[in-house]
């Protein structure tokens, strides 16, 4: 049985305990080579002791600087702030991920900047608050805890048209995975896939088996909520 204790412990680890003493600390540059030969780097330096600055540089073949991005954040409000290079969809082209303010649980603000292959510039691709961000079966999946015993997953279909950056209000699907039990064990899990329809949410079937595996978050058997089959349901 999965225990709630770990989830509850994460909620107790608030980053604000040492916020008053926090000061900026520079970090060495991180570098990643992309499949097209370009190089992406990100470095953390200090505009002031209270202001952290992330500098991302995209260098094209031949050593030409194609783009340079600067993002600053106040250290006192972003004690867990950091920048890293990720390859969300494992396509050989890296993104810059900047994490910021965290809540009382595992969710932290995050911004992702992606290379636009047409202009070779860094575009603001995603903005949210999450524990984990990944691509599953062609969908961007943002995972975050929504309560002591429930997680929420926000999904965007990457081959569908969206205004950038991707945000909460433009998600294509939401998945709610809720556990029941007591303080020690999980004895039931309900998983629901939802699509927004005007001011209402409509229960839908998982788009694929790969996405349905989100329901296995607690590592227990789950009940999948049946889709709404009323006429006109999306």
């Amino acid at each position: 049985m999965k225990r709630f204790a770990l989830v509850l412990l994460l909620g107790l680890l608030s980053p604000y305990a040492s916020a008053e003493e926090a000061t900026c600390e520079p970090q060495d540059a991180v570098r990643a080579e992309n499949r097209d030969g370009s190089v992406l780097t990100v470095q953390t330096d200090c505009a002031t002791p209270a202001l952290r600055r992330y500098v991302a540089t995209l260098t094209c073949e031949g050593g030409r600087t194609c783009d340079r991005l600067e993002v600053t954040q106040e250290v006192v409000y972003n004690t867990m702030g950091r920048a890293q290079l990720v390859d969300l969809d494992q396509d050989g082209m890296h993104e810059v991920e900047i994490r910021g303010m965290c809540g009382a649980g595992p969710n932290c603000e995050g911004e992702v900047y992606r290379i636009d292959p047409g202009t070779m510039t860094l575009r603001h691709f995603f903005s949210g608050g999450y524990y984990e961000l990944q691509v599953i079966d062609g969908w961007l999946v943002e995972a975050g805890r929504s309560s002591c015993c429930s997680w929420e997953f926000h999904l965007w279909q990457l081959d569908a048209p969206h205004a950038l950056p991707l945000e909460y209000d433009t998600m294509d699907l939401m998945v709610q995975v809720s556990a029941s039990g007591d303080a020690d064990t999980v004895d039931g899990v309900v998983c629901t896939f939802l699509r927004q329809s005007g001011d209402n949410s409509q229960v839908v079937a998982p788009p694929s088996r790969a996405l349905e595996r989100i329901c296995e978050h607690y590592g227990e058997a789950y009940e999948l909520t049946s889709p709404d089959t009323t006429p006109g349901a999306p």
Side-chain angles (χ1 to χ4, degrees):
M1 288 289 186
K2 286 273 187 177
R3 294 185 175 271
F4 286 144
L6 177 58
V7 173
L8 293 174
L9 176 60
L10 288 171
L12 296 175
L13 298 178
S14 172
Y16 298 113
S18 59
E20 293 301 324
E21 297 82 18
T23 58
C24 178
E25 295 183 6
Q27 302 291 327
D28 292 337
V30 179
R31 178 185 184 277
E33 185 170 342
N34 298 310
R35 72 164 192 265
D36 65 354
S38 63
V39 175
L40 188 59
T41 61
V42 63
Q43 182 170 348
T44 304
D45 62 27
C46 303
T48 70
L51 194 64
R52 188 185 292 124
R53 177 170 54 201
Y54 304 110
V55 180
T57 305
L58 177 62
T59 304
C60 296
E61 287 188 284
R64 178 172 59 91
T65 298
C66 287
D67 200 12
R68 187 176 186 272
L69 171 74
E70 288 190 14
V71 178
T72 59
Q73 60 182 206
E74 294 181 84
V75 178
V76 67
Y77 299 118
N78 300 275
T79 57
M80 304 294 287
R82 65 186 187 279
Q84 59 188 358
L85 300 179
V86 297
D87 185 358
L88 289 174
D89 46 8
Q90 301 298 306
D91 65 348
M93 298 296 290
H94 292 79
E95 294 89 22
V96 179
E97 182 184 38
I98 297 175
R99 302 306 298 268
M101 183 183 298
C102 300
N107 303 338
C108 299
E109 291 179 346
E111 310 288 334
V112 176
Y113 297 85
R114 171 171 276 194
I115 299 170
D116 182 328
T119 62
M120 291 305 288
T121 57
L122 291 164
R123 297 187 65 191
H124 194 184
F125 171 69
F126 175 81
S127 178
Y130 54 94
Y131 170 69
E132 183 179 36
L133 195 65
Q134 60 182 315
V135 172
I136 302 175
D137 200 27
W139 294 68
L140 182 69
V141 179
E142 176 191 50
R145 195 181 69 181
S146 56
S147 71
C148 72
C149 317
S150 178
W151 282 69
E152 202 168 270
F153 300 80
H154 306 148
L155 283 65
W156 294 261
Q157 190 171 6
L158 291 178
D159 62 2
H162 294 93
L164 297 180
L166 302 178
E167 297 177 299
Y168 178 90
D169 290 340
T170 63
M171 80 176 81
D172 295 308
L173 293 176
M174 178 187 294
V175 186
Q176 297 173 338
V177 185
S178 302
S180 59
D182 55 31
D184 296 317
T185 60
V186 174
D187 60 21
V189 176
V190 175
C191 183
T192 307
F193 279 73
L194 298 163
R195 176 175 284 123
Q196 195 70 19
S197 178
D199 293 332
N200 301 309
S201 295
Q202 206 83 35
V203 179
V204 297
S208 68
R209 174 56 188 151
L211 287 172
E212 187 179 335
R213 292 195 181 97
I214 291 172
C215 299
E216 301 171 2
H217 175 77
Y218 286 97
E220 302 288 341
Y222 59 88
E223 176 187 344
L224 183 63
T225 305
S226 298
D228 188 337
T229 57
T230 56

